[in-house]
Amino acid sequence: MSYDYRKIYGIVMTNLPKRTKSQKIGVSAADLLSSVLAKFCNVIPVPQDRDLGIDFICEIMEGEHPTGKLFNIQCKGKEESKVESNSITFPVKVTTLNYWLLQSNPTFLVIVDCQNSVFYWSFPQDFLSLLGKSWQNQQTVSISVPIKNRFEQNIITLPSQLVSIVNSQASATPKNGDYLGTLTLANAVNRATDYGLYVLSAPFHRPFQYIGMPIADAARAVSSTPNEVGNIIVDSEEAHMLLEAEGNFINYVDVELKRTAPWSQNRPFDSEAILGVLSINPSELELARKQTHFHTYYDHKRRLKIGVSCHYEGAPLSVGFSSKYYRA
């Protein structure tokens, strides 16, 4: 026998819990994003009673096998955000941002357009690094999510820049068990502040990615135009970047960090901190040679030679990338 408890206890609909519009948007956004990420990752939802600002923990998979590379996702529906010309902004509590920064794995903010099945993502740590420390005195920070950082429901791989960030944040295997001697990206970034430098965002983020790109693709990636010989120059208040062409491809990249000028060739510098400004984890590299004015690294994974140097007296510190002289 079934009972109608609404009649027995005089329950009326207005005395029942409500699911708010914000909750409906959040659930739809999370379900849609989870279904896409599950094609490439083992997606672990964080229970609501343990959710302090992270909705999913994701482990990248290679086929059927886990990689051990983890990242976190905070998911929001587009209706909850403010859309501007080139970006979407979403207010995040400072307490939540601090929680993200404590994580050993990178945390991404993903804005979900459920109506069009489009996803916009941001790595808030990069954005915060441009603000100095003053944001700690605020209640919230409006995190900017670039419109160009997007993927759709039918993607066949995760966005390459997102994967690059995950790889750069991964713990390195220490040599001879020396865990204390293993330098992580976070340590390098912290040391960069001694130079008055902070992590640079795109297009200066991990600039080795342009090596081997066709000139036209590289030009689109950095939103600039090649000159008559195919070279591409990108300037900002913080950096000057040269993408040098050989044939139809980029074969050399050099980034000058303007705030370090003028530097002396006789003045030592912390090259690991300088690499951190470009979101490059020094523990991924081999330090091959070290002179006062020039430090040479090899990136064996990408088969690149990386030089951190002061090219001439009074020049800024710069970082050069080349595959041509790998192991030379």
PDB file of all heavy atoms in Angstrom, residues 97 100-109 122-131 135 143 165 168-169 185-187 189-190 198-200 276 279:
ATOM      1  N   LEU A  97      41.126  30.901  -4.435  1.00  0.00           N
ATOM      2  CA  LEU A  97      42.362  31.035  -5.214  1.00  0.00           C
ATOM      3  C   LEU A  97      43.559  30.543  -4.404  1.00  0.00           C
ATOM      4  O   LEU A  97      44.443  29.851  -4.942  1.00  0.00           O
ATOM      5  CB  LEU A  97      42.566  32.491  -5.633  1.00  0.00           C
ATOM      6  CG  LEU A  97      41.539  33.049  -6.623  1.00  0.00           C
ATOM      7  CD1 LEU A  97      41.726  34.557  -6.783  1.00  0.00           C
ATOM      8  CD2 LEU A  97      41.651  32.363  -7.974  1.00  0.00           C
ATOM      9  N   TRP A 100      43.630  26.852  -4.488  1.00  0.00           N
ATOM     10  CA  TRP A 100      44.158  26.338  -5.752  1.00  0.00           C
ATOM     11  C   TRP A 100      45.684  26.384  -5.763  1.00  0.00           C
ATOM     12  O   TRP A 100      46.346  25.462  -6.246  1.00  0.00           O
ATOM     13  CB  TRP A 100      43.612  27.144  -6.925  1.00  0.00           C
ATOM     14  CG  TRP A 100      42.147  26.970  -7.165  1.00  0.00           C
ATOM     15  CD1 TRP A 100      41.321  26.045  -6.584  1.00  0.00           C
ATOM     16  CD2 TRP A 100      41.328  27.728  -8.055  1.00  0.00           C
ATOM     17  NE1 TRP A 100      40.038  26.195  -7.050  1.00  0.00           N
ATOM     18  CE2 TRP A 100      40.001  27.213  -7.955  1.00  0.00           C
ATOM     19  CE3 TRP A 100      41.564  28.794  -8.908  1.00  0.00           C
ATOM     20  CZ2 TRP A 100      38.948  27.735  -8.691  1.00  0.00           C
ATOM     21  CZ3 TRP A 100      40.509  29.321  -9.652  1.00  0.00           C
ATOM     22  CH2 TRP A 100      39.209  28.786  -9.550  1.00  0.00           C
ATOM     23  N   LEU A 101      46.243  27.484  -5.249  1.00  0.00           N
ATOM     24  CA  LEU A 101      47.695  27.652  -5.273  1.00  0.00           C
ATOM     25  C   LEU A 101      48.401  26.660  -4.350  1.00  0.00           C
ATOM     26  O   LEU A 101      49.585  26.369  -4.543  1.00  0.00           O
ATOM     27  CB  LEU A 101      48.064  29.087  -4.882  1.00  0.00           C
ATOM     28  CG  LEU A 101      47.632  30.178  -5.874  1.00  0.00           C
ATOM     29  CD1 LEU A 101      47.947  31.554  -5.311  1.00  0.00           C
ATOM     30  CD2 LEU A 101      48.301  29.994  -7.226  1.00  0.00           C
ATOM     31  N   LEU A 102      47.691  26.149  -3.348  1.00  0.00           N
ATOM     32  CA  LEU A 102      48.276  25.162  -2.445  1.00  0.00           C
ATOM     33  C   LEU A 102      48.401  23.781  -3.085  1.00  0.00           C
ATOM     34  O   LEU A 102      49.165  22.943  -2.612  1.00  0.00           O
ATOM     35  CB  LEU A 102      47.422  25.026  -1.171  1.00  0.00           C
ATOM     36  CG  LEU A 102      47.506  26.149  -0.136  1.00  0.00           C
ATOM     37  CD1 LEU A 102      46.545  25.861   1.002  1.00  0.00           C
ATOM     38  CD2 LEU A 102      48.930  26.296   0.399  1.00  0.00           C
ATOM     39  N   GLN A 103      47.628  23.553  -4.156  1.00  0.00           N
ATOM     40  CA  GLN A 103      47.574  22.224  -4.758  1.00  0.00           C
ATOM     41  C   GLN A 103      48.895  21.871  -5.437  1.00  0.00           C
ATOM     42  O   GLN A 103      49.531  22.709  -6.064  1.00  0.00           O
ATOM     43  CB  GLN A 103      46.436  22.146  -5.786  1.00  0.00           C
ATOM     44  CG  GLN A 103      45.066  22.491  -5.243  1.00  0.00           C
ATOM     45  CD  GLN A 103      44.675  21.591  -4.086  1.00  0.00           C
ATOM     46  OE1 GLN A 103      44.726  20.367  -4.193  1.00  0.00           O
ATOM     47  NE2 GLN A 103      44.291  22.203  -2.979  1.00  0.00           N
ATOM     48  N   SER A 104      49.289  20.606  -5.313  1.00  0.00           N
ATOM     49  CA  SER A 104      50.501  20.161  -5.996  1.00  0.00           C
ATOM     50  C   SER A 104      50.266  19.962  -7.484  1.00  0.00           C
ATOM     51  O   SER A 104      51.207  19.925  -8.277  1.00  0.00           O
ATOM     52  CB  SER A 104      50.998  18.837  -5.378  1.00  0.00           C
ATOM     53  OG  SER A 104      49.977  17.848  -5.425  1.00  0.00           O
ATOM     54  N   ASN A 105      48.993  19.847  -7.873  1.00  0.00           N
ATOM     55  CA  ASN A 105      48.628  19.716  -9.287  1.00  0.00           C
ATOM     56  C   ASN A 105      47.991  21.007  -9.778  1.00  0.00           C
ATOM     57  O   ASN A 105      47.332  21.700  -9.009  1.00  0.00           O
ATOM     58  CB  ASN A 105      47.637  18.557  -9.474  1.00  0.00           C
ATOM     59  CG  ASN A 105      48.168  17.256  -8.937  1.00  0.00           C
ATOM     60  OD1 ASN A 105      49.303  16.880  -9.214  1.00  0.00           O
ATOM     61  ND2 ASN A 105      47.363  16.552  -8.152  1.00  0.00           N
ATOM     62  N   PRO A 106      48.179  21.361 -11.062  1.00  0.00           N
ATOM     63  CA  PRO A 106      47.600  22.605 -11.583  1.00  0.00           C
ATOM     64  C   PRO A 106      46.073  22.577 -11.565  1.00  0.00           C
ATOM     65  O   PRO A 106      45.460  21.532 -11.777  1.00  0.00           O
ATOM     66  CB  PRO A 106      48.136  22.683 -13.018  1.00  0.00           C
ATOM     67  CG  PRO A 106      48.452  21.269 -13.375  1.00  0.00           C
ATOM     68  CD  PRO A 106      48.892  20.602 -12.111  1.00  0.00           C
ATOM     69  N   THR A 107      45.480  23.727 -11.310  1.00  0.00           N
ATOM     70  CA  THR A 107      44.022  23.860 -11.291  1.00  0.00           C
ATOM     71  C   THR A 107      43.581  24.792 -12.405  1.00  0.00           C
ATOM     72  O   THR A 107      44.104  25.902 -12.543  1.00  0.00           O
ATOM     73  CB  THR A 107      43.539  24.408  -9.937  1.00  0.00           C
ATOM     74  OG1 THR A 107      43.941  23.507  -8.895  1.00  0.00           O
ATOM     75  CG2 THR A 107      42.017  24.552  -9.912  1.00  0.00           C
ATOM     76  N   PHE A 108      42.608  24.337 -13.195  1.00  0.00           N
ATOM     77  CA  PHE A 108      42.093  25.110 -14.315  1.00  0.00           C
ATOM     78  C   PHE A 108      40.650  25.533 -14.034  1.00  0.00           C
ATOM     79  O   PHE A 108      39.870  24.772 -13.432  1.00  0.00           O
ATOM     80  CB  PHE A 108      42.122  24.294 -15.613  1.00  0.00           C
ATOM     81  CG  PHE A 108      43.500  23.883 -16.036  1.00  0.00           C
ATOM     82  CD1 PHE A 108      44.031  22.661 -15.635  1.00  0.00           C
ATOM     83  CD2 PHE A 108      44.284  24.707 -16.823  1.00  0.00           C
ATOM     84  CE1 PHE A 108      45.300  22.266 -16.006  1.00  0.00           C
ATOM     85  CE2 PHE A 108      45.563  24.326 -17.210  1.00  0.00           C
ATOM     86  CZ  PHE A 108      46.072  23.105 -16.793  1.00  0.00           C
ATOM     87  N   LEU A 109      40.305  26.728 -14.464  1.00  0.00           N
ATOM     88  CA  LEU A 109      38.921  27.201 -14.430  1.00  0.00           C
ATOM     89  C   LEU A 109      38.344  27.008 -15.824  1.00  0.00           C
ATOM     90  O   LEU A 109      38.912  27.488 -16.809  1.00  0.00           O
ATOM     91  CB  LEU A 109      38.875  28.679 -14.035  1.00  0.00           C
ATOM     92  CG  LEU A 109      37.512  29.374 -14.110  1.00  0.00           C
ATOM     93  CD1 LEU A 109      36.521  28.743 -13.139  1.00  0.00           C
ATOM     94  CD2 LEU A 109      37.649  30.866 -13.830  1.00  0.00           C
ATOM     95  N   SER A 122      41.039  28.516 -18.514  1.00  0.00           N
ATOM     96  CA  SER A 122      42.086  29.438 -18.076  1.00  0.00           C
ATOM     97  C   SER A 122      42.922  28.762 -16.994  1.00  0.00           C
ATOM     98  O   SER A 122      42.417  27.908 -16.245  1.00  0.00           O
ATOM     99  CB  SER A 122      41.457  30.719 -17.517  1.00  0.00           C
ATOM    100  OG  SER A 122      42.431  31.566 -16.936  1.00  0.00           O
ATOM    101  N   PHE A 123      44.205  29.126 -16.925  1.00  0.00           N
ATOM    102  CA  PHE A 123      45.078  28.684 -15.844  1.00  0.00           C
ATOM    103  C   PHE A 123      45.269  29.880 -14.914  1.00  0.00           C
ATOM    104  O   PHE A 123      46.124  30.734 -15.172  1.00  0.00           O
ATOM    105  CB  PHE A 123      46.410  28.196 -16.415  1.00  0.00           C
ATOM    106  CG  PHE A 123      47.369  27.651 -15.391  1.00  0.00           C
ATOM    107  CD1 PHE A 123      46.930  26.784 -14.399  1.00  0.00           C
ATOM    108  CD2 PHE A 123      48.705  27.996 -15.421  1.00  0.00           C
ATOM    109  CE1 PHE A 123      47.804  26.276 -13.454  1.00  0.00           C
ATOM    110  CE2 PHE A 123      49.596  27.488 -14.492  1.00  0.00           C
ATOM    111  CZ  PHE A 123      49.134  26.633 -13.509  1.00  0.00           C
ATOM    112  N   PRO A 124      44.454  30.006 -13.876  1.00  0.00           N
ATOM    113  CA  PRO A 124      44.451  31.223 -13.050  1.00  0.00           C
ATOM    114  C   PRO A 124      45.801  31.599 -12.459  1.00  0.00           C
ATOM    115  O   PRO A 124      46.055  32.783 -12.223  1.00  0.00           O
ATOM    116  CB  PRO A 124      43.434  30.891 -11.949  1.00  0.00           C
ATOM    117  CG  PRO A 124      42.518  29.906 -12.587  1.00  0.00           C
ATOM    118  CD  PRO A 124      43.404  29.066 -13.457  1.00  0.00           C
ATOM    119  N   GLN A 125      46.678  30.617 -12.239  1.00  0.00           N
ATOM    120  CA  GLN A 125      47.981  30.937 -11.656  1.00  0.00           C
ATOM    121  C   GLN A 125      48.751  31.916 -12.535  1.00  0.00           C
ATOM    122  O   GLN A 125      49.417  32.827 -12.031  1.00  0.00           O
ATOM    123  CB  GLN A 125      48.788  29.659 -11.451  1.00  0.00           C
ATOM    124  CG  GLN A 125      50.140  29.896 -10.776  1.00  0.00           C
ATOM    125  CD  GLN A 125      50.877  28.604 -10.505  1.00  0.00           C
ATOM    126  OE1 GLN A 125      50.275  27.609 -10.108  1.00  0.00           O
ATOM    127  NE2 GLN A 125      52.178  28.594 -10.732  1.00  0.00           N
ATOM    128  N   ASP A 126      48.671  31.738 -13.850  1.00  0.00           N
ATOM    129  CA  ASP A 126      49.336  32.677 -14.766  1.00  0.00           C
ATOM    130  C   ASP A 126      48.753  34.074 -14.623  1.00  0.00           C
ATOM    131  O   ASP A 126      49.479  35.075 -14.603  1.00  0.00           O
ATOM    132  CB  ASP A 126      49.177  32.197 -16.218  1.00  0.00           C
ATOM    133  CG  ASP A 126      50.202  31.138 -16.597  1.00  0.00           C
ATOM    134  OD1 ASP A 126      51.097  30.861 -15.784  1.00  0.00           O
ATOM    135  OD2 ASP A 126      50.092  30.584 -17.697  1.00  0.00           O
ATOM    136  N   PHE A 127      47.420  34.158 -14.548  1.00  0.00           N
ATOM    137  CA  PHE A 127      46.750  35.452 -14.442  1.00  0.00           C
ATOM    138  C   PHE A 127      47.134  36.139 -13.134  1.00  0.00           C
ATOM    139  O   PHE A 127      47.439  37.332 -13.105  1.00  0.00           O
ATOM    140  CB  PHE A 127      45.235  35.248 -14.520  1.00  0.00           C
ATOM    141  CG  PHE A 127      44.432  36.514 -14.431  1.00  0.00           C
ATOM    142  CD1 PHE A 127      44.291  37.351 -15.520  1.00  0.00           C
ATOM    143  CD2 PHE A 127      43.815  36.876 -13.236  1.00  0.00           C
ATOM    144  CE1 PHE A 127      43.558  38.523 -15.439  1.00  0.00           C
ATOM    145  CE2 PHE A 127      43.071  38.047 -13.136  1.00  0.00           C
ATOM    146  CZ  PHE A 127      42.945  38.866 -14.241  1.00  0.00           C
ATOM    147  N   LEU A 128      47.155  35.403 -12.035  1.00  0.00           N
ATOM    148  CA  LEU A 128      47.466  35.973 -10.725  1.00  0.00           C
ATOM    149  C   LEU A 128      48.897  36.468 -10.656  1.00  0.00           C
ATOM    150  O   LEU A 128      49.193  37.456  -9.966  1.00  0.00           O
ATOM    151  CB  LEU A 128      47.231  34.934  -9.634  1.00  0.00           C
ATOM    152  CG  LEU A 128      45.776  34.513  -9.405  1.00  0.00           C
ATOM    153  CD1 LEU A 128      45.709  33.365  -8.406  1.00  0.00           C
ATOM    154  CD2 LEU A 128      44.934  35.687  -8.920  1.00  0.00           C
ATOM    155  N   SER A 129      49.806  35.796 -11.370  1.00  0.00           N
ATOM    156  CA  SER A 129      51.216  36.189 -11.320  1.00  0.00           C
ATOM    157  C   SER A 129      51.435  37.588 -11.889  1.00  0.00           C
ATOM    158  O   SER A 129      52.429  38.237 -11.570  1.00  0.00           O
ATOM    159  CB  SER A 129      52.065  35.175 -12.080  1.00  0.00           C
ATOM    160  OG  SER A 129      51.795  35.223 -13.466  1.00  0.00           O
ATOM    161  N   LEU A 130      50.511  38.053 -12.715  1.00  0.00           N
ATOM    162  CA  LEU A 130      50.627  39.395 -13.300  1.00  0.00           C
ATOM    163  C   LEU A 130      50.114  40.481 -12.360  1.00  0.00           C
ATOM    164  O   LEU A 130      50.321  41.664 -12.606  1.00  0.00           O
ATOM    165  CB  LEU A 130      49.844  39.455 -14.619  1.00  0.00           C
ATOM    166  CG  LEU A 130      50.252  38.449 -15.701  1.00  0.00           C
ATOM    167  CD1 LEU A 130      49.323  38.553 -16.894  1.00  0.00           C
ATOM    168  CD2 LEU A 130      51.691  38.670 -16.129  1.00  0.00           C
ATOM    169  N   LEU A 131      49.456  40.083 -11.270  1.00  0.00           N
ATOM    170  CA  LEU A 131      48.824  41.040 -10.366  1.00  0.00           C
ATOM    171  C   LEU A 131      49.686  41.392  -9.162  1.00  0.00           C
ATOM    172  O   LEU A 131      49.288  42.213  -8.336  1.00  0.00           O
ATOM    173  CB  LEU A 131      47.481  40.486  -9.857  1.00  0.00           C
ATOM    174  CG  LEU A 131      46.448  40.106 -10.922  1.00  0.00           C
ATOM    175  CD1 LEU A 131      45.180  39.598 -10.239  1.00  0.00           C
ATOM    176  CD2 LEU A 131      46.132  41.281 -11.833  1.00  0.00           C
ATOM    177  N   TRP A 135      46.250  41.487  -4.743  1.00  0.00           N
ATOM    178  CA  TRP A 135      44.941  40.842  -4.790  1.00  0.00           C
ATOM    179  C   TRP A 135      44.606  40.116  -3.493  1.00  0.00           C
ATOM    180  O   TRP A 135      43.432  39.844  -3.217  1.00  0.00           O
ATOM    181  CB  TRP A 135      44.850  39.888  -5.979  1.00  0.00           C
ATOM    182  CG  TRP A 135      45.844  38.773  -5.992  1.00  0.00           C
ATOM    183  CD1 TRP A 135      47.085  38.783  -6.552  1.00  0.00           C
ATOM    184  CD2 TRP A 135      45.696  37.467  -5.421  1.00  0.00           C
ATOM    185  NE1 TRP A 135      47.723  37.584  -6.371  1.00  0.00           N
ATOM    186  CE2 TRP A 135      46.890  36.745  -5.686  1.00  0.00           C
ATOM    187  CE3 TRP A 135      44.679  36.820  -4.729  1.00  0.00           C
ATOM    188  CZ2 TRP A 135      47.093  35.442  -5.270  1.00  0.00           C
ATOM    189  CZ3 TRP A 135      44.869  35.511  -4.316  1.00  0.00           C
ATOM    190  CH2 TRP A 135      46.058  34.840  -4.581  1.00  0.00           C
ATOM    191  N   ILE A 143      38.698  36.531 -12.556  1.00  0.00           N
ATOM    192  CA  ILE A 143      39.644  35.780 -13.376  1.00  0.00           C
ATOM    193  C   ILE A 143      39.228  35.881 -14.844  1.00  0.00           C
ATOM    194  O   ILE A 143      38.071  35.654 -15.196  1.00  0.00           O
ATOM    195  CB  ILE A 143      39.687  34.300 -12.946  1.00  0.00           C
ATOM    196  CG1 ILE A 143      40.162  34.188 -11.498  1.00  0.00           C
ATOM    197  CG2 ILE A 143      40.590  33.500 -13.868  1.00  0.00           C
ATOM    198  CD1 ILE A 143      41.561  34.688 -11.256  1.00  0.00           C
ATOM    199  N   ILE A 165      50.936  22.694 -19.749  1.00  0.00           N
ATOM    200  CA  ILE A 165      50.951  23.204 -18.374  1.00  0.00           C
ATOM    201  C   ILE A 165      50.968  22.046 -17.380  1.00  0.00           C
ATOM    202  O   ILE A 165      51.710  22.060 -16.394  1.00  0.00           O
ATOM    203  CB  ILE A 165      49.734  24.123 -18.131  1.00  0.00           C
ATOM    204  CG1 ILE A 165      49.865  25.393 -18.964  1.00  0.00           C
ATOM    205  CG2 ILE A 165      49.614  24.476 -16.653  1.00  0.00           C
ATOM    206  CD1 ILE A 165      48.618  26.267 -18.952  1.00  0.00           C
ATOM    207  N   SER A 168      54.380  20.607 -17.274  1.00  0.00           N
ATOM    208  CA  SER A 168      55.352  21.486 -16.617  1.00  0.00           C
ATOM    209  C   SER A 168      55.196  21.481 -15.108  1.00  0.00           C
ATOM    210  O   SER A 168      56.145  21.761 -14.377  1.00  0.00           O
ATOM    211  CB  SER A 168      55.212  22.915 -17.141  1.00  0.00           C
ATOM    212  OG  SER A 168      54.036  23.533 -16.647  1.00  0.00           O
ATOM    213  N   GLN A 169      53.992  21.149 -14.628  1.00  0.00           N
ATOM    214  CA  GLN A 169      53.748  21.149 -13.190  1.00  0.00           C
ATOM    215  C   GLN A 169      54.011  19.790 -12.559  1.00  0.00           C
ATOM    216  O   GLN A 169      54.020  19.658 -11.335  1.00  0.00           O
ATOM    217  CB  GLN A 169      52.285  21.534 -12.921  1.00  0.00           C
ATOM    218  CG  GLN A 169      51.900  22.930 -13.396  1.00  0.00           C
ATOM    219  CD  GLN A 169      52.301  24.006 -12.407  1.00  0.00           C
ATOM    220  OE1 GLN A 169      52.178  23.827 -11.217  1.00  0.00           O
ATOM    221  NE2 GLN A 169      52.784  25.123 -12.910  1.00  0.00           N
ATOM    222  N   LEU A 185      58.849  23.740 -10.791  1.00  0.00           N
ATOM    223  CA  LEU A 185      58.469  25.001 -11.423  1.00  0.00           C
ATOM    224  C   LEU A 185      58.030  26.015 -10.379  1.00  0.00           C
ATOM    225  O   LEU A 185      58.356  27.200 -10.480  1.00  0.00           O
ATOM    226  CB  LEU A 185      57.350  24.749 -12.434  1.00  0.00           C
ATOM    227  CG  LEU A 185      56.801  25.990 -13.150  1.00  0.00           C
ATOM    228  CD1 LEU A 185      57.901  26.695 -13.920  1.00  0.00           C
ATOM    229  CD2 LEU A 185      55.667  25.609 -14.082  1.00  0.00           C
ATOM    230  N   ALA A 186      57.288  25.572  -9.375  1.00  0.00           N
ATOM    231  CA  ALA A 186      56.812  26.505  -8.346  1.00  0.00           C
ATOM    232  C   ALA A 186      57.981  27.201  -7.655  1.00  0.00           C
ATOM    233  O   ALA A 186      57.947  28.409  -7.394  1.00  0.00           O
ATOM    234  CB  ALA A 186      55.957  25.763  -7.329  1.00  0.00           C
ATOM    235  N   ASN A 187      59.054  26.451  -7.367  1.00  0.00           N
ATOM    236  CA  ASN A 187      60.227  27.051  -6.734  1.00  0.00           C
ATOM    237  C   ASN A 187      60.873  28.081  -7.653  1.00  0.00           C
ATOM    238  O   ASN A 187      61.292  29.158  -7.218  1.00  0.00           O
ATOM    239  CB  ASN A 187      61.253  25.972  -6.394  1.00  0.00           C
ATOM    240  CG  ASN A 187      60.787  25.055  -5.291  1.00  0.00           C
ATOM    241  OD1 ASN A 187      59.969  25.450  -4.462  1.00  0.00           O
ATOM    242  ND2 ASN A 187      61.292  23.832  -5.264  1.00  0.00           N
ATOM    243  N   VAL A 189      59.451  29.826 -10.025  1.00  0.00           N
ATOM    244  CA  VAL A 189      58.585  31.013 -10.119  1.00  0.00           C
ATOM    245  C   VAL A 189      58.749  31.890  -8.886  1.00  0.00           C
ATOM    246  O   VAL A 189      58.827  33.124  -8.975  1.00  0.00           O
ATOM    247  CB  VAL A 189      57.116  30.580 -10.293  1.00  0.00           C
ATOM    248  CG1 VAL A 189      56.184  31.777 -10.149  1.00  0.00           C
ATOM    249  CG2 VAL A 189      56.919  29.925 -11.653  1.00  0.00           C
ATOM    250  N   ASN A 190      58.818  31.270  -7.713  1.00  0.00           N
ATOM    251  CA  ASN A 190      58.996  32.037  -6.477  1.00  0.00           C
ATOM    252  C   ASN A 190      60.312  32.798  -6.497  1.00  0.00           C
ATOM    253  O   ASN A 190      60.389  33.951  -6.065  1.00  0.00           O
ATOM    254  CB  ASN A 190      58.955  31.112  -5.264  1.00  0.00           C
ATOM    255  CG  ASN A 190      57.562  30.582  -4.983  1.00  0.00           C
ATOM    256  OD1 ASN A 190      56.576  31.181  -5.406  1.00  0.00           O
ATOM    257  ND2 ASN A 190      57.480  29.459  -4.286  1.00  0.00           N
ATOM    258  N   TYR A 198      57.481  38.044 -13.005  1.00  0.00           N
ATOM    259  CA  TYR A 198      56.375  37.138 -12.757  1.00  0.00           C
ATOM    260  C   TYR A 198      56.140  36.303 -14.019  1.00  0.00           C
ATOM    261  O   TYR A 198      56.600  36.647 -15.104  1.00  0.00           O
ATOM    262  CB  TYR A 198      55.106  37.917 -12.371  1.00  0.00           C
ATOM    263  CG  TYR A 198      55.301  38.763 -11.140  1.00  0.00           C
ATOM    264  CD1 TYR A 198      55.639  40.112 -11.247  1.00  0.00           C
ATOM    265  CD2 TYR A 198      55.174  38.203  -9.873  1.00  0.00           C
ATOM    266  CE1 TYR A 198      55.855  40.879 -10.112  1.00  0.00           C
ATOM    267  CE2 TYR A 198      55.377  38.965  -8.737  1.00  0.00           C
ATOM    268  CZ  TYR A 198      55.717  40.301  -8.856  1.00  0.00           C
ATOM    269  OH  TYR A 198      55.927  41.052  -7.738  1.00  0.00           O
ATOM    270  N   VAL A 199      55.404  35.215 -13.863  1.00  0.00           N
ATOM    271  CA  VAL A 199      55.167  34.315 -14.993  1.00  0.00           C
ATOM    272  C   VAL A 199      54.483  35.062 -16.128  1.00  0.00           C
ATOM    273  O   VAL A 199      53.487  35.771 -15.909  1.00  0.00           O
ATOM    274  CB  VAL A 199      54.292  33.132 -14.554  1.00  0.00           C
ATOM    275  CG1 VAL A 199      53.938  32.255 -15.752  1.00  0.00           C
ATOM    276  CG2 VAL A 199      55.009  32.296 -13.506  1.00  0.00           C
ATOM    277  N   LEU A 200      55.018  34.903 -17.326  1.00  0.00           N
ATOM    278  CA  LEU A 200      54.440  35.546 -18.506  1.00  0.00           C
ATOM    279  C   LEU A 200      53.349  34.658 -19.097  1.00  0.00           C
ATOM    280  O   LEU A 200      53.484  33.433 -19.145  1.00  0.00           O
ATOM    281  CB  LEU A 200      55.515  35.805 -19.556  1.00  0.00           C
ATOM    282  CG  LEU A 200      56.632  36.773 -19.157  1.00  0.00           C
ATOM    283  CD1 LEU A 200      57.611  36.945 -20.310  1.00  0.00           C
ATOM    284  CD2 LEU A 200      56.080  38.124 -18.728  1.00  0.00           C
ATOM    285  N   GLY A 276      61.656  29.862 -15.069  1.00  0.00           N
ATOM    286  CA  GLY A 276      60.340  29.837 -14.436  1.00  0.00           C
ATOM    287  C   GLY A 276      59.422  30.918 -14.952  1.00  0.00           C
ATOM    288  O   GLY A 276      58.205  30.722 -15.044  1.00  0.00           O
ATOM    289  N   SER A 279      57.447  29.662 -17.645  1.00  0.00           N
ATOM    290  CA  SER A 279      56.705  28.439 -17.266  1.00  0.00           C
ATOM    291  C   SER A 279      57.438  27.172 -17.685  1.00  0.00           C
ATOM    292  O   SER A 279      56.832  26.184 -18.069  1.00  0.00           O
ATOM    293  CB  SER A 279      55.290  28.446 -17.860  1.00  0.00           C
ATOM    294  OG  SER A 279      54.533  29.500 -17.328  1.00  0.00           O
TER     295      SER A 279
END
